[in-house]
Amino acid sequence: RGLTTLTASNPAIPEGGVVGESKFDILSRLPADSVIPAVRVPPDVVADRLATLRASVEAAGWSFPLVLKPDVGQRGAGVKRIESWDAAAKYLSRIGGAVLAQPYHEGPFEAGVFYYRFPDWPRGRILSITDKVFPEVVGDGVSTLEDLIWRHPRFRMQAHTFLARHEDAATRVVPCAQRVQLALAGNHAQGTLFRDGAHLITAALEARIDQIAQHQPGFFIGRFDIRYHNVDEFKAGRDLAIVELNGATAESTNIYDPDRSLWSAYRTLFHQWSLVFAIGAANRRRGVEGCSFERLVELVRLHLSAPVAYHVSD
């Protein structure tokens, strides 16, 4: 029933979560005990934005490190760990749009949980889980960080990304057995390895994800990015710290597992998109209009024409 059917898939999110939605607005409608808290810093002159951020952080009782990212973002672009107010001011001078700030969650684990529910279903389901493996190198007491990156069979393929991210430490010798994490954002494009996490799916976790999803009426399909401390607690549905929730154009990112075949990836994608459009069509039958084709094209155009500074990464 047309391309715009997907914009009716999630009435709770503007245009279904195709592009341009506010991360802060979505997080604020989820249960507070299941999300990493966040504040939004609106566009303004840098000094005023920094004062707003500082007041919000002090009121919330947070401490460094913080994570800053564009409130409207895609594929981990602009996500940065901040260690000081000087670094925060530098970041705000480069990102002109609204910025979302969160306290840093140490993990060490992160998962992408793809969820869906048809409007007439009493309970939703987990389509897939992506087990995210953050890139790291281990020092030998002799080699520099740059040497360790270039010698790694996979990390050398993104060496320029990692070296730009760790420019100040690139020429330093990494002490023996010290681990250096190369990426902060749990994003494939930023260097994180994605593995199929089907082994993490349990009835308890599915029930908890469904409970969280239904806390936001009008949300039916998308991906939760979740940090957690303990695998067993996560599988039991008890250890969940949601980083963000993505709507209609979120991917079932287990397709990027290098051990999966290309055909398997295509099967998953076709299934995922058939669900998006089927749910959108079901919502339209219930009176949800979605957006016009012209509006959809304009949103995509605005996103693609975003300033280069928008693409700052960690």
Side-chain angles (χ1 to χ4, degrees):
R1 299 216 172 198
L3 181 61
T4 60
T5 300
L6 83 165
T7 67
S9 58
N10 291 310
I13 304 174
E15 283 71 52
V18 173
V19 69
E21 67 275 14
S22 164
K23 298 178 185 297
F24 178 80
D25 287 347
I26 295 172
L27 283 175
S28 65
R29 292 194 291 267
L30 296 175
D33 63 350
S34 299
V35 302
I36 299 177
V39 296
R40 178 167 52 193
V41 181
D44 204 337
V45 297
V46 174
D48 290 344
R49 299 176 83 199
L50 186 64
T52 298
L53 175 61
R54 190 162 195 158
S56 298
V57 167
E58 290 175 353
W62 301 346
S63 58
F64 289 109
L66 303 173
V67 174
L68 301 186
K69 55 187 172 183
D71 186 39
V72 176
Q74 298 286 329
R75 295 185 175 274
V79 179
K80 191 167 184 66
R81 174 171 162 160
I82 300 295
E83 302 285 352
S84 67
W85 291 118
D86 286 342
K90 182 179 178 181
Y91 181 92
L92 293 172
S93 70
R94 299 180 68 181
I95 304 295
V99 166
L100 184 144
Q102 294 174 301
Y104 176 68
H105 188 288
E106 67 277 12
F109 305 108
E110 185 170 327
V113 181
F114 199 97
Y115 164 92
Y116 71 99
R117 179 174 68 87
F118 280 85
D120 59 345
W121 285 11
R123 290 181 297 278
R125 298 192 61 187
I126 292 176
L127 175 67
S128 67
I129 292 184
T130 301
D131 188 14
K132 302 182 180 184
V133 182
F134 290 95
E136 65 176 22
V137 292
V138 181
D140 57 11
V142 177
S143 305
T144 64
L145 179 61
E146 183 173 10
D147 293 335
L148 293 171
I149 291 171
W150 278 112
R151 284 207 302 264
H152 195 281
R154 188 170 74 88
F155 300 162
R156 66 186 182 189
M157 301 299 180
Q158 290 181 288
H160 296 295
T161 297
F162 294 138
L163 292 174
R165 185 176 294 154
H166 297 277
E167 183 178 5
D168 294 341
T171 58
R172 297 176 190 165
V173 173
V174 181
C176 188
Q178 179 176 314
R179 296 179 178 273
V180 179
Q181 185 171 307
L182 301 177
L184 166 66
N187 186 276
H188 190 255
Q190 303 298 329
T192 300
L193 177 65
F194 286 178
R195 295 287 190 186
D196 183 79
H199 62 284
L200 297 170
I201 300 175
T202 64
L205 178 61
E206 189 169 70
R208 179 58 180 147
I209 293 295
D210 180 59
Q211 183 182 47
I212 293 170
Q214 295 206 44
H215 191 270
Q216 183 169 174
F219 170 71
F220 295 100
I221 187 164
R223 190 189 68 243
F224 294 90
D225 292 329
I226 303 171
R227 290 223 167 192
Y228 59 99
H229 300 288
N230 180 277
V231 174
D232 290 334
E233 288 294 296
F234 174 72
K235 292 168 68 175
R238 291 190 290 265
D239 183 5
L240 284 76
I242 298 171
V243 180
E244 62 185 53
L245 169 60
N246 300 279
T249 53
E251 287 181 311
S252 179
T253 47
N254 62 328
I255 63 173
Y256 295 111
D257 187 329
D259 291 337
R260 297 189 62 175
S261 70
L262 179 62
W263 296 115
S264 173
Y266 275 121
R267 280 196 303 271
T268 300
L269 277 177
F270 281 125
H271 182 40
Q272 171 198 322
W273 280 104
S274 70
L275 289 170
V276 171
F277 277 88
I279 290 171
N283 279 326
R284 277 190 161 176
R285 289 192 293 270
R286 296 162 69 95
V288 177
E289 294 184 3
C291 77
S292 68
F293 182 76
E294 292 75 16
R295 170 65 175 162
L296 181 60
V297 171
E298 178 64 8
L299 284 170
V300 174
R301 186 192 68 79
L302 289 172
H303 174 69
L304 295 177
S305 62
V308 174
Y310 172 93
H311 298 289
V312 175
S313 66
D314 68 309

